[in-house]
Amino acid sequence: MTQHHTILMTPGDGIGPEVMEEVRKIIAHLNQKNATNIDLIDRPIGGAGIDRDGVPVTPETIEIGKKADCVLLGAVGGPKWADIDYALRPEAGLLKIRKDMELFANLRPAIVFDALIEASTIKPDVIRGLDILIVRELTGGVYFGEPRGITPLPNGERQGLNTQIYTTSEIVRVAKVAFELAQKRNKKLCSCEKANVMESGKLWREEVEKLGADYPDIALSHMYADNCAMQLLRNPRQFDVIVTDNLFGDILSDEAAMLTGSLGMLPSASLGARDAEGHQNALYEPVHGSAPDIAGTGKANPLAAILSFAMALRFSLDGPQLADALEEAVRQVLNQKIRTADIMDRECELVSTSQMGDAVIKELAKV
Ligand code: NAD
């Protein structure tokens, strides 16, 4: 019998519900074929949460997320909620669920599909066949470190302060995730920091190096983050898995993403630690935001959300083969020159959000 799984579905705002609708259709298709046995629990998040519950995410929703096999999230935010106090904005809901579920490892693949190679601003020869994975530490570092704030100084100036801070356990747990992912890929891990000028970077390098002894099958290298930014443009295929801290990961993962050319194609996963029973908190979401400029027009590309679900199948739902099949279905649809507006090219067929979802299901049904 197919194993039962529960997913918390939080579509969010703007195009979030539109792209998640296509994921829903794929899950219904897989359930109907008995390839999966997935129950969805729906809850609002972000602006939709504010409208319904007065807060962007409720403690009840977070508890459901912790018990579920994973969370699938659309996107949050929009002009309607732009004037609300910072701590109660839609984006605060996303930060809260990530923090409360202790999702410390953010996985951002950068994969170049042959059919979309022209969409990148980088020369095709540099990126053809690119398949790299950036693992970013997500709950520590300078975005969360204390002390922080803006304070007046006696001389009349103001001082802005943030603290870059990492403990050994924070470094080791995210590095472990990266080593284990590298084991399932091409067995290469590059760790990035600024050990030359930052103590937190020096500690990062020492701890990752020490942990490397437990993974003799992995070729571990270290790189300064600024050099990594250059190397990603010069020769990105030298990398397999990159692990780095919250701040550098934020920047390097956006840079790597843009090698592939299109925001509507980029999936992501955020993972927590695995407990003694083998349960791991996990949240999957497209990298893009709620795109208020195209919400409601049927123009949103659902492939980033669909590829995020493929990551969920691989990492949380015991379905690596289904994940491969779904990614292959996406590849075939692109090869057939079916495109939403954001990735439209010459001699291609322009389709809507829901037509793109249908095209993926049609390909998936062939497997
Ligand atoms: P955005 O990612 O929403 O949009 C940037 C541009 O890319 C827009 O022109 C948009 O139309 C286009 N785009 C994005 N996703 C697309 C898709 N799937 N298909 C086709 N085109 C797509 O970023 P933004 O405009 O800076 O932010 C809009 C709102 O989203 C803000 O409220 C912001 O805070 C929020 N946001 C949320 C997340 C998240 O939920 N994880 C991430 C980024 C931004």
Side-chain angles (χ1 to χ4, degrees), residues 4 24-25 31 34 124 135 171 182 186 240 307-308 327 355:
H4 178 254
R24 257 184 237 281
K25 276 160 55 177
N31 276 350
N34 282 329
V135 180
I171 297 167
N186 291 328
D240 178 22
L307 292 169
S308 300
E327 286 167 355
Q355 286 169 324

Side-chain angles (χ1 to χ4, degrees), residues 15 19 73-79 91 94 98 263-265 285-294 299-302 304 340 342:
I15 63 167
V19 295
L73 187 138
V76 300
E91 292 78 1
L94 190 51
R98 283 179 185 156
L263 198 52
M265 296 293 304
E285 57 181 321
V287 168
H288 62 73
S290 57
D293 54 332
I294 57 165
K299 285 188 186 155
N301 182 349
T340 45
D342 57 313

Side-chain angles (χ1 to χ4, degrees), residues 106-129:
N106 182 228
L107 280 50
R108 293 263 300 260
I111 296 170
V112 171
F113 290 93
D114 265 357
L116 293 183
I117 204 158
E118 296 294 338
S120 175
T121 52
I122 310 294
K123 286 181 193 150
D125 281 354
V126 177
I127 53 166
R128 186 167 284 111

Side-chain angles (χ1 to χ4, degrees), residues 4 35 54 79 111 122 146 172 221 241 246 265 317:
H4 178 254
I111 296 170
I122 310 294
E146 300 279 350
V172 168
S221 60
V241 180
N246 202 345
M265 296 293 304
L317 304 171

Side-chain angles (χ1 to χ4, degrees), residues 36-327:
T36 55
N37 178 8
I38 294 172
D39 273 329
L40 296 176
I41 303 175
D42 254 87
R43 287 293 180 277
I45 199 165
I50 295 169
D51 289 352
R52 198 191 79 160
D53 305 315
V55 286
V57 65
T58 65
E60 187 229 359
T61 300
I62 293 172
E63 280 315 302
I64 296 172
K66 285 182 185 171
K67 290 202 186 96
D69 291 290
C70 68
V71 182
L72 295 181
L73 187 138
V76 300
K80 182 178 172 192
W81 306 279
D83 296 330
I84 299 177
D85 189 43
Y86 226 42
L88 282 177
R89 288 238 190 110
E91 292 78 1
L94 190 51
L95 293 180
K96 185 161 171 55
I97 195 167
R98 283 179 185 156
K99 186 84 184 161
D100 288 5
M101 288 179 70
E102 293 183 69
L103 304 172
F104 59 81
N106 182 228
L107 280 50
R108 293 263 300 260
I111 296 170
V112 171
F113 290 93
D114 265 357
L116 293 183
I117 204 158
E118 296 294 338
S120 175
T121 52
I122 310 294
K123 286 181 193 150
D125 281 354
V126 177
I127 53 166
R128 186 167 284 111
L130 182 75
D131 180 355
I132 62 178
L133 178 66
I134 301 208
V135 180
R136 164 188 171 194
E137 200 291 324
L138 199 60
T139 54
V142 72
Y143 292 170
F144 295 97
E146 300 279 350
R148 63 186 296 158
I150 299 177
T151 46
L153 296 176
N155 66 2
E157 281 199 85
R158 293 194 305 153
Q159 174 182 271
L161 172 71
N162 292 92
T163 303
Q164 166 79 339
I165 184 163
Y166 272 108
T167 60
T168 51
S169 62
E170 284 176 311
I171 297 167
V172 168
R173 65 182 185 174
V174 72
K176 263 189 185 164
V177 170
F179 274 110
E180 283 167 18
L181 288 164
Q183 280 180 320
K184 293 184 191 144
R185 294 173 48 99
N186 291 328
K187 302 195 168 27
K188 274 168 66 180
L189 178 63
C190 179
S191 171
C192 293
E193 25 55 18
K194 289 281 288 175
N196 49 342
V197 285
M198 295 170 76
E199 281 73 12
S200 58
K202 187 168 180 295
L203 183 74
W204 184 284
R205 186 175 286 219
E206 286 171 5
E207 290 302 320
V208 175
E209 182 65 28
K210 226 189 293 173
L211 188 64
D214 295 346
Y215 299 89
D217 52 333
I218 301 299
L220 172 66
S221 60
H222 303 274
M223 198 178 268
Y224 298 137
D226 50 340
N227 185 24
C228 182
M230 282 199 297
Q231 296 297 331
L232 276 172
L233 293 181
R234 199 183 68 83
N235 177 16
R237 283 179 306 211
Q238 70 184 283
F239 298 109
D240 178 22
V241 180
I242 294 173
V243 63
T244 188
D245 75 12
N246 202 345
L247 172 64
F248 297 137
D250 194 359
I251 297 164
L252 294 175
S253 62
D254 268 12
E255 185 189 354
M258 276 304 106
L259 297 171
T260 71
S262 177
L263 198 52
M265 296 293 304
L266 300 169
S268 79
S270 302
L271 307 179
R274 206 172 277 288
D275 68 18
E277 281 89 56
H279 176 81
Q280 182 178 41
N281 284 347
L283 183 149
Y284 299 85
E285 57 181 321
V287 168
H288 62 73
S290 57
D293 54 332
I294 57 165
T297 64
K299 285 188 186 155
N301 182 349
L303 293 179
I306 290 171
L307 292 169
S308 300
F309 175 57
M311 291 183 83
L313 285 167
R314 181 169 289 120
F315 297 125
S316 295
L317 304 171
D318 309 305
Q321 284 103 351
L322 281 178
D324 289 345
L326 185 52
E327 286 167 355

